[in-house]
Amino acid sequence: MTDAADLAARVREGELRLHELDDHADADVAAAARRLLVETETGASLDSVGDYGFPAERAESNIENMVGAVQVPMGVAGPVPVNGGAASGEAYLPLATTEGALLASVNRGCSVLSAAGGANARVLKSGMTRAPVFRVTDVVEAEALVSWVRDNTDRLVEAAESTTSHGELLGVTPYVVGNSVYLRFRYDTKDAMGMNMATIATEAACDVVEAETEAELVALSGNLCTDKKPAAINAVEGRGRTVTADVTIPGAVVEDRLHTTPADVAELNTRKNLVGSAKAGSLGFNAHVANVVAAMFLATGQDEAQVVEGANAITTADVRDGDLYLSVSLASLEVGTVGGGTKLPMQAEALDVLGVRGGGDPPGSNAEAFAEYIAVGALAGELSLLSALASRHLSSAHAELGR
């Protein structure tokens, strides 16, 4: 078999391109050849990057031109009791991050949630979206297209669902802007995050639209989906899983464990997360939900760019008979327990920690449970950070933990 050094030399001499190496050697040798080439060309050492703990072929569907792997430290927070619609019992939450103090903060929040008897969590809405944009002549033709879609949704369902054995088209919502018509397709993708499934299914439906109407497809994605970008439509209509977690914490627990009061936490949340966020024009009204979403995404093989939508969350706090009521509502959390990066060995193990790897029974239940666990983690993170701010302990905690 051709060795890595020979392959790297052939690339330098122009005989091969980087992406062609996989055709001449197994995945690990091809990765080694790319490392040698990059080291030679840049002077960098990639010894640590090349010291990865799984066969490179396991990642062939996840990355191109692989040279190795970046290992992010992973810790766990918990255990935390979760009373969910799909999740139940005590859970350890896997989080991968390089941000010191994050795990300690979430873990502190989890301990207080445990002292309060655990957190509730429910998925309130589910649906992955894709919104192609069509060109029409004028608003008359636009109205005709909208009417056709509403009268022929069953035909779009048939075309879309012919491409998948799991996906289900839940509905199509038209939006008109001048001579542009956007059709926002929404799918139940079961335990898959479902972006690829939704894209392929929508393309088949678009073929029917073009064949039966005067509309011309301009792009399979018209940005009204909206994927990997901040968007008010996701905050209002939801995308992926819309999930909420809440808890009521006895006032004595707040004072003893968090060194503040329910009234101070509630006032801080209003002034910071609600009024401050509104003044800033933020689409997220929360303290740091993105921290927990990102860390759990990295640990479990989710699409990390979709942290943008996952952080689209609102935190609320009230005083109830001297106790603290706290909630976090994530409008557009896009997660899956099958496909994508969930198949990689380390990420699969992290999903095993939560007991949600693979397809659920019934279908979709694992992804729903996973969404509920993330929401509870976000709740723990919000509780801890808000309390640290209310007690004025934030900077001292960061200094002590060496961030």
Side-chain angles (χ1 to χ4, degrees):
M1 179 179 291
T2 307
D3 65 19
D6 179 60
L7 287 174
R10 293 176 66 185
V11 172
R12 283 195 300 273
E13 292 165 6
E15 295 180 20
L16 292 174
R17 296 182 178 182
L18 285 178
H19 69 272
E20 295 174 331
L21 294 180
D22 292 309
D23 297 329
H24 295 267
D26 68 34
D28 286 301
V29 173
R34 293 189 190 96
R35 282 198 306 278
L36 285 172
L37 178 69
V38 172
E39 287 178 331
T40 301
E41 296 293 323
T42 67
S45 171
L46 297 181
D47 288 346
S48 296
V49 169
D51 187 18
Y52 49 92
F54 58 91
E57 65 181 14
R58 294 286 296 273
E60 284 182 339
S61 64
N62 301 102
I63 195 166
E64 299 77 40
N65 287 348
M66 179 173 168
V67 297
V70 174
Q71 299 182 73
V72 180
M74 188 182 93
V76 293
V80 58
V82 177
N83 170 28
S88 64
E90 290 196 332
Y92 285 94
L93 308 179
L95 297 100
T97 184
T98 58
E99 181 183 1
L102 177 59
L103 261 293
S105 178
V106 177
N107 197 54
R108 181 174 82 135
C110 286
S111 71
V112 176
L113 295 182
S114 296
N120 303 310
R122 293 292 188 277
V123 172
L124 305 173
K125 187 177 182 181
S126 180
M128 177 52 67
T129 60
R130 178 55 88 198
V133 56
F134 293 85
R135 178 195 307 114
V136 295
T137 301
D138 52 28
V139 70
V140 175
E141 204 169 276
E143 191 276 334
L145 173 58
V146 170
S147 296
W148 184 91
V149 168
R150 288 174 175 159
D151 292 340
N152 293 273
T153 300
D154 57 338
R155 297 182 62 183
L156 299 180
V157 168
E158 181 181 4
E161 294 183 1
S162 70
T163 67
T164 173
S165 58
H166 301 291
E168 178 184 352
L169 178 57
L170 301 175
V172 184
T173 304
Y175 297 84
V176 176
V177 182
N179 66 339
S180 296
V181 179
Y182 301 81
L183 302 180
R184 196 171 193 254
F185 290 73
R186 188 168 70 91
Y187 297 87
D188 179 356
T189 57
K190 310 306 179 186
D191 287 298
M193 182 270 284
M195 193 67 266
N196 290 338
M197 185 189 301
T199 299
I200 293 168
T202 300
E203 183 175 34
C206 287
D207 290 342
V208 176
V209 173
E210 284 198 296
E212 298 295 328
T213 74
E214 298 300 316
E216 296 180 74
L217 180 66
V218 176
L220 195 53
S221 173
N223 270 10
L224 202 71
C225 311
T226 294
D227 192 40
K228 302 177 182 177
K229 292 166 282 292
I233 195 169
N234 289 343
V236 176
E237 298 294 335
R239 189 170 196 256
R241 262 78 183 183
T242 299
V243 57
T244 293
D246 69 3
V247 66
T248 299
I249 307 169
V253 173
V254 175
E255 294 180 12
D256 180 56
R257 302 288 290 273
L258 298 171
H259 313 294
T260 184
T261 67
D264 284 347
V265 173
E267 179 185 6
L268 171 64
N269 186 74
T270 298
R271 295 184 185 276
K272 171 184 169 62
N273 284 342
L274 305 184
V275 179
S277 296
K279 179 63 176 175
S282 175
L283 285 179
F285 289 69
N286 61 80
H288 70 148
V289 167
N291 253 334
V292 173
V293 173
M296 292 189 73
F297 271 27
L298 285 174
T300 59
Q302 307 303 304
D303 189 330
E304 61 270 22
Q306 289 176 330
V307 172
V308 174
E309 297 104 287
N312 198 339
I314 299 175
T315 299
T316 70
D318 294 303
V319 179
R320 294 185 175 178
D321 298 324
D323 299 332
L324 175 64
Y325 172 80
L326 189 72
S327 78
V328 177
S329 298
L330 290 78
S332 44
L333 185 65
E334 298 148 352
V335 295
T337 58
V338 298
T342 67
K343 298 179 293 185
L344 294 170
M346 297 175 190
Q347 288 76 3
E349 289 177 2
L351 288 170
D352 282 339
V353 170
L354 293 169
V356 297
R357 176 157 55 128
D361 184 16
S365 57
N366 273 359
E368 289 208 354
F370 183 33
E372 291 171 351
Y373 287 131
I374 293 177
V376 170
L379 182 69
E382 293 291 278
L383 173 63
S384 185
L385 178 52
L386 289 173
S387 299
L389 287 166
S391 63
R392 303 189 181 185
H393 288 165
L394 180 65
S395 62
S396 61
H398 286 178
E400 180 181 341
L401 292 167
R403 181 144 57 139

